[in-house]
Amino acid sequence: MSRAMQCQRCLPWGSWMQLRRSLPGSKGTRSVYLCATSVPGTAGGYFLSKVLRTSATSLHRKQPRPNTLPALNSVQLLCLIMGLLGMHSAWLADLPSVPSCALGPALLVSGKEGGCVRYQGGSQEHPVQPSSSRHGLSQRRNVAYSDAVKKHQKTLSAWFSHQPNEERQFGPSFSLDAVHVDPVIRESSLEEILKPSPDLTIQNQLQQPCSRVISLQNLFDVDACGQQVKNVVLYGTVGTGKSTLIKKMVVDWCHGRLPRFELVIPFSCEDLSHSHAPISLRRLITKKYQHLRDVVPMLGTSNLKVLFILNGLERLNLDFRLAGTELCCDVSEPVPSSSIVVNLLRKYLLPEASIIVTTRPSAVRRIPGKYVGRYAEICGFSDTNLQKLYFQMRLSQPGCSGEDSVGSSSGEQENLVEMLSRNLERHNQIAAACFLPSYCWLVCTTLHFLYFTRTVPPSQTLTGIYTSFLRLNFSGEVLDSTDPANISMMKYVAKMMGKLAYEGVMSRKTCFSEDDLQQCFEVEMKTESELNLLEVFRSDVFRFFLTPCMQPGKEHTFVFTIPAMQEYLAALYVVLGEKKTLAQRVGKELSEIIGKVSEDVAVVLSIISKVLPLRFLPVLFNLLKIFPRYFSRLSGKDRDAIAHTMAEELFKEEDYYNDDVLDQINSSILGMEGPMRHPDEAPDDEVFELFPIFMGGILSRRNRAILEQLGCSIKNLAAFEIAKAMEKTVIRNSRKGLPPSELMDYLFFLHEFQNERFTAEAIRSLRTVNLSSVKMTPLKCSVLASVMGTTCHEVEELILASCNLDTSSLGILFPVLLRCKALHLQLNSLGSDACKEIRNLLLHDKCVVSNLRLANNPVGEQGAQYLAEALAGNCSLTHLSLLHTALGDRGAEVIAQRLAENQHLRELNLGYNSLTDTAALHVVEVAKKHATLDKVHLYFNDISEDGKRALHSLRMDRDGVRALVFLTAGTDVSDYWSHILSVVQRNLPFWDRERVQQHLALILQDLESSRRQTANPWRKARFLRVESEVRKMLGRLQHGTL
């Protein structure tokens, strides 16, 4: 009867000991297979000596194999076997009929391959299968292998092409294949990693030596010594694109673009770190990739070219000492997951497999250098051409501008790419930021938010973009996995970088010296553990948030990579409550300790007091509870302080006349058009208007949920108390008159806060909304519509003059415009299409617009047709201004024809529309018959002297209609002369100056003629006064000072 024994790779050490004791007296064992290198130390030597001393032991040569050993004497053989015990691996390739660790009929020593010892205890042989049967079995295995690999590729492709939630908003065109740009990879060495890094300057970042650049496909080429590379360590700081590069590598293999490897098996070291139970490599692979069940048995027994990908090695605690991690060369032996990684890197397990490891710089030294064939550093987009290529690919995608405006926005997309390229060519600060691919993503996402948001409410918030950006880079990350505290990386960033950011905001500073960094980071370092964490932070994370300053003379200072990131981290620092004094921190810790202990002690004392006469103890203990209650009241004052800080920063008077924050962000990304500032010119004061807006945005429920995942917890109660305190500070300050840009910032703050109840109360206090001269992009229109949509109250006045509105903007604002009594839309280039939208607005049954001003818009004849239709069916409009709207005679005739159908209009302004005598007379005649119309403005039209007299004769009839044509009324000055001149002066920057001069000259002649016709001295004095005002205006206009 034959008994089989597996090698140490399949049996624990105890089985070897039992076998060693049982061999000398065992009579039934017919054959034994050994892996000589698997037998541990002295036990292996003792075991083999027992084998060789048995009478039945014989050494047979495998006749067909030319590499088997010739006949040896016992001493030579023993020496050979003992030498095999020190070799790295053992293979059973000479046993074709059995698996690598199964048993066979003889003891064979294979010298070249590293040593199998084959022991035959008797003369019985196993039958040999026919060659045709083996060929058919091999063919079936090849088919099963091919199907399994194809299914594996399909699964991996779907898995690694999966877009995160932050990416799905941009549509399916933003796939990994469509917009990926490979970062620069530079070959490095352990010596470079261990030596101190040079000064961090933009030149060091953007000017890497090109001779050491290596492509992803060449990572496993032979090294400088001609040796084949098996293990590659790919390292880089946070944000350089390690994970994205690995995703692209896997997708490339799935699509046949990485032919070097027949099988790719990726593993996440974060997942491996959570696996504590022993598991074999075979089970680990099939558990994650079930379709590889038919492929795993071939690992180690064939020349299969396998690539293992270990992503995020910093999450694993590896011990390469033999005393710390046991040797394992069997894919079926259960061991800890860290042991599998160590033995793969040692090449003790699957020595022919290739391995690529990604990690942060601080964890590179966890792998001994002798196990690494090549070090490669991911340098991000150190070449600005890569940055341009990324932006070109990203912003030119078909779905970038949204589904509704693909064709119309292509020019805008090209313009954005062009402006970004020009800004990068200047080596501006944006080039230093986009050195990291992660920030290229943030730039494109922000531009998409600024230019292509058209939904109401907007699907994103700016705070949400920055929070999601941090989640993409820091989700699940701990600063140092070897530290027992296991501190969340984002929590550490909020504490350390947040403090630096907050101090910079408070002191209006954006550049920080090395002394500033040391004072901020190292002042509280007390223990070895804290210093180690700081060292890891500076190695792995520092360059993600700080970059060298590009301003001349400040090369050795640092700025935040993206200016808005400083304000975000400062806001996070404040909202998390990290801004505390020492007494507040001690009080909080003491309060938490007493609060935890008090519950347990109260239960114990309540039980004891029922048995023993110690009833006074609970009374004393209740006094201890006063401290937590008292401290909670003090913490409530902290909430008031946060709300006060928010209101103070939001309504700073020195920031009143800056651009709104959205325009500031746009300028920081695309740059300022025009001449660059001279180096000796004093810079403008730094502004931090995003800081309070980010504070409100961080308090929103969605952002708090994301920050909770990153280890930055903001309790619901804290958010509620801060919002309650804000009602006393923020809303009260908002009732003051705010300039247009500041009001836009306030509306954007309410949008970011995402609190409908708070927003509704704030909006009810705004009766007049003045946003004149604010460039109302689709995003700003969406924000205005969303914020105003939280209530249903009527708005007394909405001023949107000179706001770059168009037809789509009116469509977005339609629900808000319905509720406005006075609507100012002057100077917006609104043509006939926009007038069609205004017609729909005025004909809506919920429209309450009573005063509509469309002055200085190219309405034209077609637009007049739409407005005439609106006048015929509207019941709310009382004042309509069409001053300087290019109506012409035909446009005025169209309006006059439908004017009789309106029964509510009281004032109509058709000034400066090139009306001739016929059209002007027709309008006045219709106005005389109108039930409510009492004032028609016709000044600055092409009316002759005859027309003037005809209009004057009509005006002499006391029918209640006043036609404002000139500054005179017969032999007297018109009561509206000052109004007409003020209209001229207010609109002069937008009118044709030569034509205005001609009209002012005619007005002056008319005044002089009327003055000569009157004998009343008082009237003469009034004429002289008006003539003086007209002459001043005409003179300033001629000299170009008006």
Side-chain angles (χ1 to χ4, degrees):
M1 180 176 180
S2 176
R3 187 177 67 179
M5 182 191 71
Q6 293 176 308
C7 66
Q8 184 203 10
R9 288 174 292 180
C10 300
L11 291 178
W13 171 240
S15 301
W16 278 99
M17 298 300 294
Q18 295 174 7
L19 180 61
R20 187 186 67 178
R21 290 193 294 267
S22 64
L23 268 175
S26 178
K27 302 297 185 181
T29 301
R30 301 288 303 218
S31 61
V32 174
Y33 277 111
L34 301 178
C35 286
T37 57
S38 300
V39 184
T42 57
Y46 174 78
F47 174 76
L48 288 176
S49 66
K50 291 291 186 181
V51 172
L52 294 176
R53 282 201 293 270
T54 57
S55 59
T57 303
S58 64
L59 291 171
H60 294 265
R61 292 179 61 194
K62 186 92 170 178
Q63 295 296 336
R65 299 284 184 175
N67 63 336
T68 53
L69 294 176
L72 301 173
N73 61 42
S74 60
V75 176
Q76 292 172 328
L77 181 60
L78 180 60
C79 293
L80 176 61
I81 293 173
M82 296 303 293
L84 291 175
L85 292 175
M87 298 182 68
H88 289 293
S89 61
W91 300 96
L92 300 177
D94 289 330
L95 307 177
S97 61
V98 292
S100 61
C101 52
L103 302 180
L107 179 65
L108 173 70
V109 180
S110 176
K112 186 176 180 180
E113 290 296 325
C116 274
V117 179
R118 183 176 181 183
Y119 164 68
Q120 180 173 325
S123 59
Q124 180 178 350
E125 298 288 344
H126 291 281
V128 180
Q129 294 182 358
S131 60
S132 60
S133 175
R134 289 199 303 269
H135 178 72
L137 179 61
S138 175
Q139 188 174 9
R140 288 194 298 272
R141 287 180 177 175
N142 290 337
V143 172
Y145 162 77
S146 178
D147 292 342
V149 171
K150 288 180 179 179
K151 186 174 182 181
H152 182 59
Q153 290 177 329
K154 183 178 180 181
T155 303
L156 284 183
S157 178
W159 192 356
F160 281 84
S161 299
H162 180 74
Q163 295 176 315
N165 293 331
E166 291 78 9
E167 206 61 87
R168 293 177 190 170
Q169 60 180 310
F170 304 113
S173 61
F174 288 87
S175 63
L176 193 61
D177 284 334
V179 296
H180 179 78
V181 177
D182 284 338
V184 174
I185 303 175
R186 184 178 64 90
E187 190 169 3
S188 181
S189 64
L190 187 60
E191 290 73 19
E192 290 186 26
I193 299 171
L194 295 179
K195 72 179 181 181
S197 59
D199 292 338
L200 184 60
T201 63
I202 192 61
Q203 287 74 19
N204 290 335
Q205 287 187 353
L206 299 182
Q207 297 177 5
Q208 298 290 348
C210 298
S211 60
R212 306 189 63 184
V213 173
I214 186 171
S215 66
L216 187 65
Q217 289 75 16
N218 298 330
L219 286 177
F220 290 95
D221 289 351
V222 295
D223 60 12
C225 300
Q227 295 182 354
Q228 184 65 45
V229 172
K230 289 294 184 182
N231 292 350
V232 174
V233 172
L234 193 62
Y235 69 94
T237 58
V238 175
T240 50
K242 300 184 295 296
S243 298
T244 304
L245 187 64
I246 291 301
K247 285 184 178 180
K248 185 62 168 56
M249 184 179 184
V250 173
V251 172
D252 283 348
W253 175 77
C254 294
H255 295 163
R257 295 192 289 266
L258 201 64
R260 180 192 291 264
F261 302 105
E262 301 175 46
L263 182 63
V264 172
I265 304 178
F267 283 113
S268 167
C269 292
E270 180 181 1
D271 296 339
L272 295 179
S273 67
H274 298 313
S275 177
H276 303 294
I279 188 172
S280 66
L281 179 58
R282 179 191 298 246
R283 174 61 181 151
L284 186 63
I285 295 174
T286 56
K287 184 179 180 180
K288 189 174 183 66
Y289 307 106
Q290 298 181 5
H291 38 271
L292 293 181
R293 293 183 183 274
D294 296 331
V295 179
V296 171
M298 303 178 64
L299 296 178
T301 63
S302 62
N303 295 325
L304 189 64
K305 297 177 181 178
V306 183
L307 172 65
F308 285 95
I309 298 177
L310 303 174
N311 188 31
L313 191 74
E314 67 275 356
R315 297 304 303 268
L316 283 176
N317 295 326
L318 302 181
D319 189 352
F320 281 81
R321 299 172 301 165
L322 290 176
T325 302
E326 64 178 357
L327 297 175
C328 173
C329 59
D330 183 11
V331 295
S332 299
E333 180 180 354
V335 291
S337 56
S338 60
S339 179
I340 293 177
V341 174
V342 169
N343 282 287
L344 282 172
L345 292 170
R346 284 174 174 166
K347 291 304 168 192
Y348 200 75
L349 183 62
L350 300 183
E352 297 302 319
S354 300
I355 301 173
I356 185 169
V357 174
T358 67
T359 184
R360 301 199 303 259
S362 63
V364 170
R365 289 169 286 184
R366 297 184 189 179
I367 306 176
K370 62 182 179 181
Y371 298 122
V372 180
R374 175 172 283 126
Y375 292 95
E377 180 185 9
I378 302 182
C379 300
F381 294 154
S382 54
D383 185 354
T384 53
N385 290 324
L386 294 179
Q387 301 175 10
K388 294 179 182 179
L389 179 60
Y390 180 90
F391 291 133
Q392 176 72 34
M393 295 174 64
R394 186 75 189 227
L395 294 175
S396 300
Q397 288 297 311
C400 180
S401 57
E403 298 179 358
D404 298 335
S405 55
V406 174
S408 61
S409 297
S410 59
E412 190 169 18
Q413 291 173 261
E414 295 175 0
N415 186 42
L416 288 178
V417 174
E418 179 64 26
M419 294 180 70
L420 263 176
S421 298
R422 287 203 302 267
N423 209 13
L424 290 171
E425 289 169 359
R426 296 179 180 180
H427 284 286
N428 207 315
Q429 201 67 49
I430 190 71
C434 294
F435 164 76
L436 294 173
S438 293
Y439 278 98
C440 291
W441 180 92
L442 180 61
V443 166
C444 290
T445 306
T446 305
L447 287 176
H448 186 279
F449 174 70
L450 292 176
Y451 282 88
F452 305 118
T453 299
R454 290 177 172 83
T455 58
V456 180
S459 58
Q460 275 282 8
T461 64
L462 186 65
T463 313
I465 289 175
Y466 276 75
T467 307
S468 299
F469 168 70
L470 294 175
R471 178 172 62 178
L472 283 174
N473 289 277
F474 294 98
S475 179
E477 294 285 347
V478 295
L479 187 61
D480 187 2
S481 61
T482 62
D483 186 77
N486 216 24
I487 298 176
S488 161
M489 183 179 287
M490 191 61 224
K491 178 69 174 177
Y492 192 88
V493 166
K495 180 180 179 182
M496 303 301 293
M497 298 303 298
K499 180 182 178 182
L500 180 70
Y502 175 75
E503 291 178 355
V505 169
M506 290 296 101
S507 59
R508 289 295 187 264
K509 182 169 65 174
T510 58
C511 295
F512 304 92
S513 65
E514 187 66 35
D515 293 337
D516 295 331
L517 302 183
Q518 291 181 357
Q519 184 177 2
C520 182
F521 294 160
E522 300 177 7
V523 67
E524 296 182 0
M525 296 294 134
K526 301 291 178 63
T527 65
E528 182 71 15
S529 176
E530 291 176 340
L531 288 174
N532 291 338
L533 290 176
L534 180 60
E535 183 66 24
V536 172
F537 171 77
R538 297 201 70 150
S539 171
D540 297 348
V541 192
F542 180 84
R543 295 171 69 184
F544 183 83
F545 291 104
L546 291 177
T547 191
C549 183
M550 292 291 296
Q551 295 181 18
K554 297 183 178 181
E555 290 82 2
H556 296 285
T557 61
F558 301 91
V559 295
F560 278 84
T561 311
I562 292 289
M565 185 59 73
Q566 177 180 356
E567 299 177 75
Y568 180 93
L569 292 177
L572 183 61
Y573 179 77
V574 173
V575 174
L576 285 176
E578 295 291 341
K579 187 177 72 71
K580 290 186 176 71
T581 62
L582 179 61
Q584 289 174 328
R585 293 177 182 174
V586 173
K588 180 181 179 182
E589 295 177 359
L590 185 60
S591 175
E592 291 177 353
I593 293 173
I594 294 177
K596 293 177 181 178
V597 173
S598 62
E599 298 178 0
D600 299 333
V601 176
V603 173
V604 174
L605 289 179
S606 63
I607 295 174
I608 296 176
S609 62
K610 295 179 180 178
V611 181
L612 299 176
L614 300 176
R615 298 185 180 277
F616 65 93
L617 290 179
V619 176
L620 294 177
F621 185 74
N622 285 333
L623 295 177
L624 295 176
K625 296 182 179 180
I626 295 177
F627 182 81
R629 294 173 185 171
Y630 178 73
F631 184 81
S632 65
R633 293 182 180 178
L634 292 179
S635 63
K637 293 185 178 180
D638 291 342
R639 314 280 193 265
D640 293 339
I642 293 175
H644 178 75
T645 301
M646 200 179 303
E648 183 179 2
E649 294 294 326
L650 189 61
F651 300 109
K652 274 185 175 293
E653 292 187 4
E654 55 264 36
D655 298 336
Y656 268 14
Y657 297 99
N658 298 327
D659 292 338
D660 62 82
V661 293
L662 294 176
D663 284 348
Q664 292 177 27
I665 295 173
N666 184 70
S667 299
S668 69
I669 295 176
L670 299 179
M672 298 292 294
E673 295 297 321
M676 298 182 65
R677 183 191 302 276
H678 191 274
D680 298 333
E681 185 180 349
D684 297 331
D685 294 335
E686 301 291 348
V687 294
F688 297 93
E689 295 183 81
L690 269 175
F691 169 55
I693 293 176
F694 277 142
M695 288 178 68
I698 288 172
L699 289 171
S700 69
R701 181 172 300 178
R702 180 178 181 274
N703 286 311
R704 283 190 287 118
I706 297 176
L707 289 170
E708 179 76 27
Q709 300 172 13
L710 298 176
C712 301
S713 178
I714 304 172
K715 302 299 182 183
N716 290 331
L717 180 61
F720 173 78
E721 290 178 348
I722 294 174
K724 190 174 181 180
M726 286 167 55
E727 295 179 1
K728 305 175 184 177
T729 55
V730 175
I731 295 180
R732 182 175 64 246
N733 282 275
S734 69
R735 289 170 182 161
K736 303 175 183 178
L738 296 175
S741 61
E742 195 72 11
L743 179 59
M744 187 68 241
D745 290 346
Y746 179 57
L747 296 174
F748 188 61
F749 165 81
L750 295 176
H751 163 68
E752 294 286 314
F753 191 35
Q754 295 286 293
N755 187 323
E756 288 192 11
R757 187 188 64 83
F758 180 89
T759 302
E761 185 172 352
I763 289 301
R764 288 192 193 98
S765 63
L766 296 178
R767 292 295 176 181
T768 298
V769 179
N770 182 5
L771 296 174
S772 60
S773 300
V774 174
K775 184 179 179 181
M776 294 299 292
T777 62
L779 171 61
K780 295 176 187 177
C781 292
S782 299
V783 168
L784 176 59
S786 174
V787 170
M788 298 295 291
T790 57
T791 67
C792 298
H793 78 286
E794 294 182 358
V795 180
E796 293 294 333
E797 191 173 20
L798 176 60
I799 304 176
L800 295 175
S802 188
C803 289
N804 286 36
L805 296 178
D806 56 14
T807 306
S808 61
S809 302
L810 295 179
I812 296 173
L813 293 172
F814 194 91
V816 179
L817 303 181
L818 285 174
R819 297 157 38 201
C820 299
K821 293 183 178 179
L823 185 57
H824 300 253
L825 299 177
Q826 309 97 299
L827 297 164
N828 279 297
S829 301
L830 299 177
S832 58
D833 292 339
C835 290
K836 186 177 182 180
E837 193 73 23
I838 295 172
R839 178 200 64 182
N840 298 336
L841 171 73
L842 294 175
L843 294 179
H844 198 279
D845 56 352
K846 294 184 179 180
C847 178
V848 298
V849 177
S850 60
N851 189 344
L852 177 61
R853 298 182 180 273
L854 291 173
N856 300 302
N857 284 297
V859 173
E861 181 181 338
Q862 182 61 47
Q865 181 68 44
Y866 291 130
L867 293 177
E869 295 177 14
L871 282 174
N874 179 265
C875 300
S876 62
L877 196 62
T878 58
H879 295 75
L880 176 61
S881 174
L882 296 175
L883 175 69
H884 191 220
T885 53
L887 294 179
D889 285 349
R890 183 59 186 157
E893 292 284 353
V894 169
I895 291 178
Q897 291 174 3
R898 306 297 298 270
L899 194 60
E901 301 178 42
N902 181 280
Q903 301 297 321
H904 304 277
L905 194 65
R906 294 203 299 262
E907 184 174 350
L908 176 63
N909 190 337
L910 298 178
Y912 203 159
N913 274 296
S914 302
L915 302 186
T916 59
D917 298 351
T918 304
L921 288 171
H922 184 207
V923 169
V924 174
E925 289 175 353
V926 172
K928 290 178 60 178
K929 302 175 182 178
H930 197 276
T932 57
L933 189 61
D934 64 349
K935 189 183 298 183
V936 178
H937 300 252
L938 293 173
Y939 42 81
F940 275 72
N941 281 301
D942 299 334
I943 301 175
S944 63
E945 287 294 329
D946 294 338
K948 176 187 173 183
R949 285 191 291 271
L951 288 173
H952 179 68
S953 62
L954 288 175
R955 191 173 51 187
M956 291 301 293
D957 299 336
R958 299 301 179 184
D959 51 10
V961 176
R962 289 166 289 182
L964 281 62
V965 183
F966 288 94
L967 300 187
T968 59
T971 57
D972 199 358
V973 177
S974 172
D975 294 336
Y976 301 98
W977 71 268
S978 61
H979 171 75
I980 295 175
L981 289 182
S982 65
V983 169
V984 173
Q985 188 168 359
R986 189 166 57 247
N987 291 277
L988 192 57
F990 319 106
W991 290 358
D992 184 357
R993 289 177 173 263
E994 293 184 2
R995 187 174 179 185
V996 171
Q997 289 183 31
Q998 295 175 3
H999 279 283
L1000 287 177
L1002 292 175
I1003 288 175
L1004 187 60
Q1005 293 177 8
D1006 182 64
L1007 287 171
E1008 292 173 350
S1009 174
S1010 298
R1011 176 170 52 84
R1012 287 191 293 268
Q1013 293 178 11
T1014 182
N1016 190 319
W1018 296 108
R1019 291 183 178 179
K1020 287 183 178 289
R1022 293 184 62 189
F1023 274 113
L1024 290 173
R1025 179 189 173 190
V1026 177
E1027 289 176 26
S1028 174
E1029 294 292 333
V1030 174
R1031 284 193 178 93
K1032 287 181 182 179
M1033 184 179 295
L1034 188 58
R1036 292 170 61 188
L1037 187 61
Q1038 291 173 346
H1039 291 88
T1041 58
L1042 186 61

